[in-house]
Amino acid sequence: MERPNAWKTYDAKALEALEKYSAEYRYYLDNGKTERECVTETVAMAKANGYTDLADAVKAGKKLVPGDKVYVNCMGKALMLFHIGAAPLEKGINIVGSHIDSPRMDLKQNPFYEDTDIAYADTHYYGGIKKYQWVARALALHGVVVKKDGTTVNVVIGEKDDDPVVGISDLLPHLGADQMKKTLAEGIDGEGLDVMVCGKPLEGEEKEAVKAGLLNILKETYGIEEEDMLSAEIEVVPAGKTRDYGLDRSMLLGYGHDDRVCAYASVAAQFELPAVPAYTCCCLLADKEEIGSVGATGMRAHYFENAVAELINLTYDNYSELLVRRALAACRMLSCDVSAGYDPLYAHAFEKKNAAILGRGVCYNKFTGSRGKSGSNDANAEFLGRLRNIMDNNNVCWQTAELGRVDVGGGGTIAYICALYGMEVVDSGVAVLSMHAPQEIISKADLYEAIKAYKAFMIEG
Ligand code: MN
Ligand code: MN
């Protein structure tokens, strides 16, 4: 049951559409290197596509009707777009849900120190990273500093061509004999992920003059005091733009494909829905997936449920808790997250006939988890059967996948959390090589097929 390569199915028109989406996605990725930036960018796109803030409708007590489009911004870090369909909400919502946080390093609350005429920013890594991949490369700083008076300073340093970049140094091989005897996990220590930020003493300063220089720059450029870092969220991410990858330009190399490739695909699909879809459609962008979907903006929080309650209240004359529960249980969902692409260089980690192959289209992972499917959402065969029909009817190239060989490892997504409501959920995403590395690889064909799949699912699911 080998699946065909999607590239073989394209005519000139399809290739043109594929390149258009790829270019848009590159822009989305380059301007969304943090969950906050992704929300800001997506809200702007949603407004341009006729979406308004659900909070405004709630405040005005304005009823919603089929065809209405609203968004829910959850603390600027998670987002939901709802396009109201013809069927009442108790018939369920077609959801495409992904996550917009990516592995990275966060500045600590007391980040700055000086050692031997170099000023450093101390970090705490976020998500599952191979630490050795993050040294000796150009890094950028993205995030917010919130002052005591509530004002927010947005920071992006290291992305413009003439911006400075920062980074973490590595030991030279000449002196690295002991380091290189260590395992890859131990070679770079988490506490050693300190970012070099300045190297010139401030004139007239005697003590810690380089750090004083850093604080001077922060003060002059951003009006930030050292103490303001106590209430800051600054993420250290790879600097630079997404690039075409491969001599044939068939792939994309960039930071944060996990899971912004699915986020972008679901947003793009959402904007192409008919004026009044059969069922209400929801594009959901969650935060904190990489650290277990925790916190107020992670999928385990109740923002989706709360939004559905508001929608019930604004689309029915007789709000009831029972209607909310019925609506939640009747939903159908693609939990859109990336899958491990089969890598011939690491063939030992995969079982080839059940692995996601780059270029063979959107993947369906019936289950994730580790060992004996532990922690997994195991999707129903009935739901998969219906999806097969929808995919084939819409000429979507798709494949099924497992993360890797049975006993090798595992992973999770937001699927099992949404399944708690009793809705049908299956994982569906794009194959990625070098997942969680500073620069990950996807095939443009898989991005294109994901958009086709998500659109077909929302319209016919
Ligand atoms: Mn993911
Ligand atoms: Mn991940």
Side-chain angles (χ1 to χ4, degrees):
M1 287 200 299
E2 202 169 286
R3 309 294 299 178
N5 188 295
W7 288 102
K8 293 181 182 170
T9 68
Y10 297 150
D11 57 13
K13 207 175 132 223
L15 287 171
E16 195 187 316
L18 175 150
E19 285 300 341
K20 192 183 131 276
Y21 285 124
S22 296
E24 272 180 25
Y25 172 52
R26 279 172 55 158
Y27 182 88
Y28 187 81
L29 204 54
D30 292 342
N31 289 281
K33 287 201 176 183
T34 67
E35 56 282 6
R36 286 176 188 270
E37 290 173 358
C38 285
V39 166
T40 303
E41 200 181 350
T42 312
V43 166
M45 291 161 75
K47 283 181 175 170
N49 278 276
Y51 283 76
T52 58
D53 194 337
L54 178 66
D56 293 339
V58 169
K59 211 182 288 170
K62 181 182 163 286
K63 287 287 174 193
L64 296 175
V65 296
D68 279 352
K69 296 184 275 191
V70 290
Y71 68 85
V72 181
N73 183 338
C74 188
M75 298 175 172
K77 296 176 172 182
L79 185 72
M80 291 165 285
L81 308 177
F82 290 96
H83 191 147
I84 308 296
L89 280 160
E90 65 195 293
K91 300 293 181 196
I93 300 171
N94 290 346
I95 309 163
V96 285
S98 58
H99 69 91
I100 47 175
D101 60 316
S102 292
R104 61 182 190 250
M105 293 164 291
D106 291 334
L107 290 200
K108 291 185 181 180
Q109 261 31 77
N110 280 305
F112 303 132
Y113 72 96
E114 175 173 337
D115 193 342
T116 327
D117 298 349
I118 297 173
Y120 289 94
D122 209 335
T123 69
H124 197 132
Y125 64 92
Y126 173 99
I129 63 168
K130 288 170 143 181
K131 298 175 202 103
Y132 69 86
Q133 294 175 333
W134 294 73
V135 299
R137 58 161 36 250
L139 300 170
L141 303 169
H142 289 238
V144 295
V145 181
V146 182
K147 298 200 210 177
K148 268 207 301 198
D149 65 3
T151 53
T152 299
V153 182
N154 284 300
V155 176
V156 179
I157 306 169
E159 300 296 350
K160 293 197 203 98
D161 283 344
D162 58 350
D163 263 3
V165 293
V166 293
I168 301 164
S169 55
D170 197 359
L171 187 59
L172 62 167
H174 316 65
L175 303 178
D178 285 341
Q179 181 199 36
M180 293 208 280
K181 281 184 207 140
K182 295 182 182 172
T183 64
L184 289 176
E186 293 163 343
I188 301 288
D189 177 45
E191 208 51 78
L193 293 173
D194 294 358
V195 182
M196 282 177 77
V197 284
C198 277
K200 186 169 77 181
L202 185 67
E203 223 183 285
E205 260 332 289
E206 285 305 316
K207 225 173 133 248
E208 298 207 316
V210 179
K211 183 182 162 188
L214 162 68
L215 297 178
N216 190 48
I217 290 168
L218 293 181
K219 174 111 186 149
E220 290 197 340
T221 318
Y222 299 98
I224 299 168
E225 305 284 346
E226 183 173 20
E227 206 181 281
D228 291 329
M229 296 307 294
L230 294 171
S231 48
E233 287 178 353
I234 302 290
E235 305 183 9
V236 186
V237 298
K241 287 184 156 63
T242 310
R243 305 284 297 264
D244 276 349
Y245 193 66
L247 301 186
D248 58 3
R249 298 178 179 271
S250 61
M251 297 166 278
L252 290 167
L253 176 80
Y255 166 64
H257 286 314
D258 177 8
D259 181 33
R260 291 159 191 155
V261 64
C262 294
Y264 167 77
S266 60
V267 170
Q270 177 92 6
F271 293 156
E272 292 182 15
L273 294 175
V276 181
Y279 295 97
T280 295
C281 295
C282 172
C283 166
L284 186 157
L285 310 180
D287 180 27
K288 300 281 186 283
E289 192 276 342
E290 296 294 359
I291 58 168
S293 297
V294 290
T297 54
M299 198 65 233
R300 291 200 214 192
H302 295 171
Y303 48 85
F304 178 71
E305 183 180 331
N306 291 344
V308 171
E310 296 286 5
L311 292 178
I312 294 275
N313 192 40
L314 294 181
T315 54
Y316 285 77
D317 293 327
N318 51 336
Y319 174 88
S320 80
E321 180 65 22
L322 186 61
L323 278 172
V324 177
R325 289 192 198 199
R326 281 183 184 154
L328 289 167
C331 289
R332 301 147 294 268
M333 178 177 189
L334 296 186
S335 161
C336 305
D337 206 345
V338 295
S339 196
Y342 177 80
D343 190 334
L345 300 185
Y346 302 95
H348 61 272
F350 298 89
E351 191 269 287
K352 201 170 181 180
K353 70 183 185 307
N354 285 292
I357 313 276
L358 233 63
R360 291 194 187 170
V362 67
C363 327
Y364 284 92
N365 291 57
K366 186 174 183 297
F367 51 85
T368 56
S370 47
R371 302 177 307 280
K373 301 193 180 181
S374 178
S376 130
N377 162 66
D378 201 344
N380 289 323
E382 291 84 348
F383 188 43
L384 283 170
R386 273 174 49 209
L387 288 172
R388 281 174 59 203
N389 197 39
I390 296 170
M391 294 302 116
D392 288 348
N393 288 344
N394 287 277
N395 298 314
V396 175
C397 290
W398 61 276
Q399 55 185 326
T400 55
E402 286 193 32
L403 195 60
R405 287 182 76 82
V406 172
D407 278 330
V408 168
T413 65
I414 60 171
Y416 75 96
I417 303 162
C418 302
L420 292 171
Y421 294 113
M423 64 177 79
E424 295 278 17
V425 191
V426 65
D427 280 300
S428 164
V430 168
V432 172
L433 294 193
S434 307
M435 195 193 291
H436 283 205
Q439 290 182 302
E440 304 172 315
I441 301 154
I442 62 151
S443 167
K444 290 178 181 176
D446 298 333
L447 164 64
Y448 182 54
E449 296 302 325
I451 296 167
K452 282 165 63 184
Y454 298 167
K455 188 174 159 186
F457 166 75
M458 283 197 282
I459 293 173
E460 296 180 23

